[in-house]
Amino acid sequence: MPGRYYYLMTYICGFATASYFAMLSGQGWTAIAGCRQFFWARYGDWMVSFTLIVVLLGQVASAGMDVIFGAAGANLIYLCSLYMGSVSVVTTVKWFWFLIGLVALFAVVVHFAQIYKAAADARGGEAAQLYGKVAWLSILVWICYPAVWLFSEGFASFSVSFEVCAYCVLDLISKVVLSFMIMSGHDILGAKDGATSQSRDFV
């Protein structure tokens, strides 16, 4: 498997580890409306690691860089909107940011489920099957993030402790489990890149 996959997976998990270390050490948080503890370090991690996940899935699918940049941009809008919604004092503004975030997340999901998938299907074979597995795992887990946000930073129904645990489980699945799934297909990805290289040489 080409080194870029290992680099991406290492940094995805590395940034997440640094974020959780900061939160565990009592850093990376502030108090927001209602004196609720808000971990802004989590959003710093997400903006980096989720963007790297978008790039990683694009590489697995053999999508073009223009498509990957489009998905990465939508992802950043989604995360920035959730952050702004979390720190908003005015309720109307908070939910307006949340709606913007949902629209941006929908754009990311469309890239994963359709645009990336079309690129993976064009390659065919086991590489397309591998992409299908990791893509649907990512889609299902990523949809859960705004659901947790809704009842934590949104309605403040969840306790901060439950919020941290819920996000931790989602992060483990979306980053660590995803990385292991991709690593398990290292032969597939190596063969795919080898075939791509040969076709370019032939052309």
Side-chain angles (χ1 to χ4, degrees), residues 72-139:
N75 170 68
L76 288 174
I77 293 174
Y78 156 61
L79 293 174
C80 288
S81 298
L82 287 190
Y83 174 83
M84 293 304 298
S86 299
V87 299
S88 295
V89 178
V90 180
T91 303
T92 305
V93 175
K94 174 190 288 287
W95 296 115
F96 187 71
W97 278 119
F98 181 65
L99 290 176
I100 294 176
L102 290 182
V103 172
L105 176 60
F106 177 75
V108 177
V109 171
V110 168
H111 276 80
F112 288 174
Q114 295 185 5
I115 303 176
Y116 277 19
K117 185 177 183 298
D121 289 343
R123 294 292 181 184
E126 294 181 320
Q129 295 177 6
L130 175 63
Y131 173 76
K133 294 176 182 177
V134 296
W136 282 110
L137 173 69
S138 299
I139 290 171

Side-chain angles (χ1 to χ4, degrees), residues 53-78:
I53 291 173
V54 169
V55 176
L56 178 61
L57 292 180
Q59 290 293 306
V60 174
S62 297
M65 290 306 299
D66 53 342
V67 173
I68 294 176
F69 285 142
N75 170 68
L76 288 174
I77 293 174
Y78 156 61

Side-chain angles (χ1 to χ4, degrees), residues 29-30 39 45 48 52-53 55 76 102 105-106 117 120 131 139 143 147 151 156 163 166 168 173 180 199 203:
W29 70 275
T30 188
F39 291 97
D45 161 44
V48 176
L52 293 178
I53 291 173
V55 176
L76 288 174
L102 290 182
L105 176 60
F106 177 75
K117 185 177 183 298
Y131 173 76
I139 290 171
I143 290 174
F151 294 102
E163 169 196 332
C168 181
I173 298 173
F180 275 111
S199 64
V203 173

